[in-house]
Amino acid sequence: AMDTSVRPGDDFFAYANGKWAERTEMPADLSRYGTFDALRDESQEAVKAIIEESANGDFPKGSDEQKVGDLYKSFLDWETRDALGIQPLQPELERIGGIENYDQLAVYFASALKRGLDAPFAAQQLPDFLDPQYYAILIAHSGLGLPDREYYFKDDEKSEALRQAYVAHIAKMFDLAGLDDGANAAQTIMALETRLAEENLTKEKLRDYANNYRKYPLDGLSELMPNFNWEGWTAELGIQDLDEVVVFTSDYMKALDNIITDTDLDTWKTYLTWTALNQTASRLTKALDQQNFEFYEKTLSGVQEQRPEWRRATRTVDALLGEVVG
């Protein structure tokens, strides 16, 4: 793999990897490729064999094999997926439509997290950064449809084109899903995401773990966000009995308190409809799946074509039932 004709002090990458780079073709369905990507693909081929045994067999309902096999087959069943349209998403849209006040909005933020959907801030369980023998619930900013805050504010030509493409993508996704007024919804969503992004920390400040780490007693969260329904949010997540949580982006959370109440509920419902649609697109119809690829993979990452369907189905099973497959 090495190109020893290159002086390592001049170009260490070429010295260490030059011959490998020369003879390796970049796969059209990936945005990056290296040794670990090749290993991952080989591993996935082995996992596929396990999954297909389950998908092709006759196993009792409730068995590990039945769960794995049915999930795999359901991903590949485009005929049924297209026939269903966004029907599988309807219960989520009804939850969003039923939000009547800001207290209920706070509870929905928590319930969405439990179903793997996004909200303006997220919570996850991690080893405590200062005492890793214990777990902690860590709260941090979230909720942007573009990769990070810089995508909303950089003023070069490429960034401006990406923002326009993102707005057009949202509008098209609404239209493909049969949702009303995609063009106006896209402008509403972009405006709210831009406001959220403005309060996000820069990548450089995010790396300052020591300065960002803040522990709050559960009953002290109201000092951080006095208008927010923390009681409903913690109860919905089932963490109301904890003594404390870690807040990693305190300044963002303070700003978010005002953003929440300054933003009318109809705007929040439009935004939450988008987050639900956006994060489930690859599991809905062929058209939504393809449009999701066109923006997030092709436009943002330069990928030329979708990964083979069996790889995407295997990845989905591995993500959702990985321990069972293991």
Side-chain angles (χ1 to χ4, degrees):
M2 299 173 71
D3 184 353
T4 55
S5 69
V6 177
R7 283 165 44 89
D10 292 342
D11 186 340
F12 189 79
F13 180 86
Y15 168 75
N17 306 294
K19 289 185 179 178
W20 180 89
E22 279 182 17
R23 66 174 180 254
T24 303
E25 185 177 348
M26 180 69 191
D29 58 358
L30 291 174
S31 61
R32 51 153 287 156
Y33 194 67
T35 305
F36 283 101
D37 300 280
L39 286 171
R40 191 175 296 112
D41 278 355
E42 289 178 23
S43 173
Q44 197 175 58
E45 288 164 13
V47 172
K48 176 195 176 191
I50 297 171
I51 292 173
E52 285 188 335
E53 282 182 20
S54 297
N56 296 327
D58 184 15
F59 299 97
K61 185 173 177 60
S63 65
D64 288 348
E65 291 87 352
Q66 175 262 315
K67 294 173 187 176
V68 167
D70 282 4
L71 178 57
Y72 183 76
K73 287 185 289 188
S74 70
F75 185 97
L76 296 172
D77 186 0
W78 290 105
E79 184 178 348
T80 299
R81 289 171 62 171
D82 283 343
L84 288 171
I86 66 163
Q87 184 180 324
L89 194 59
Q90 210 58 50
E92 198 66 39
L93 300 181
E94 290 172 5
R95 291 185 193 101
I96 294 167
I99 297 170
E100 296 181 350
N101 53 55
Y102 290 101
D103 282 352
Q104 291 181 6
L105 180 66
V107 173
Y108 177 81
F109 286 167
S111 70
L113 293 177
K114 293 196 298 184
R115 291 185 297 281
L117 300 176
D118 213 351
F121 69 96
Q124 56 183 318
Q125 179 176 285
L126 292 169
D128 192 312
F129 295 162
L130 291 185
D131 194 356
Q133 66 178 317
Y134 296 104
Y135 283 104
I137 294 294
L138 183 140
I139 294 171
H141 70 259
S142 189
L144 300 182
L146 291 172
D148 62 50
R149 77 180 304 279
E150 302 308 321
Y151 281 78
Y152 293 84
F153 300 111
K154 288 179 71 174
D155 57 6
D156 59 281
E157 189 175 331
K158 181 180 179 182
S159 299
E160 178 59 36
L162 280 174
R163 285 192 288 273
Q164 292 176 7
Y166 180 52
V167 171
H169 166 66
I170 297 172
K172 188 162 186 179
M173 290 288 281
F174 266 66
D175 293 343
L176 289 171
L179 299 172
D180 293 336
D181 205 1
N184 279 336
Q187 295 294 339
T188 296
I189 291 156
M190 187 60 172
L192 179 53
E193 285 191 13
T194 302
R195 191 174 178 194
L196 294 173
E198 192 170 11
E199 301 300 337
N200 273 222
L201 297 182
T202 64
K203 286 182 286 190
E204 293 79 8
K205 288 184 177 178
L206 273 174
R207 295 187 181 113
D208 186 0
Y209 274 47
N211 193 50
N212 292 327
Y213 182 100
R214 296 282 185 277
K215 266 192 176 175
Y216 284 81
L218 219 56
D219 58 7
L221 288 171
S222 58
E223 298 175 16
L224 185 67
M225 293 175 66
N227 298 313
F228 191 73
N229 177 18
W230 284 112
E231 185 177 347
W233 186 87
T234 55
E236 179 66 22
L237 279 184
I239 61 170
Q240 69 272 29
D241 296 329
L242 290 181
D243 294 327
E244 57 192 8
V245 295
V246 175
V247 178
F248 195 65
T249 49
S250 298
D251 289 345
Y252 169 80
M253 299 296 288
K254 290 174 185 175
L256 179 62
D257 195 39
N258 290 324
I259 292 174
I260 289 173
T261 53
D262 285 349
T263 303
D264 63 83
L265 286 174
D266 284 341
T267 296
W268 278 118
K269 290 179 183 182
T270 301
Y271 163 84
L272 292 169
T273 296
W274 166 238
T275 62
L277 176 62
N278 190 27
Q279 290 183 281
T280 57
S282 64
R283 303 196 294 275
L284 294 170
T285 67
K286 189 87 168 179
L288 287 167
D289 172 72
Q290 183 62 31
Q291 177 57 34
N292 185 67
F293 166 80
E294 290 292 330
F295 179 73
Y296 279 106
E297 299 295 332
K298 200 167 188 177
T299 301
L300 271 184
S301 302
V303 178
Q304 295 306 303
E305 58 188 47
Q306 292 243 44
R307 301 226 79 189
E309 288 181 357
W310 75 261
R311 285 199 182 277
R312 296 167 57 216
T314 300
R315 181 179 63 193
T316 299
V317 174
D318 211 22
L320 299 176
L321 290 174
E323 298 294 337
V324 175
V325 173

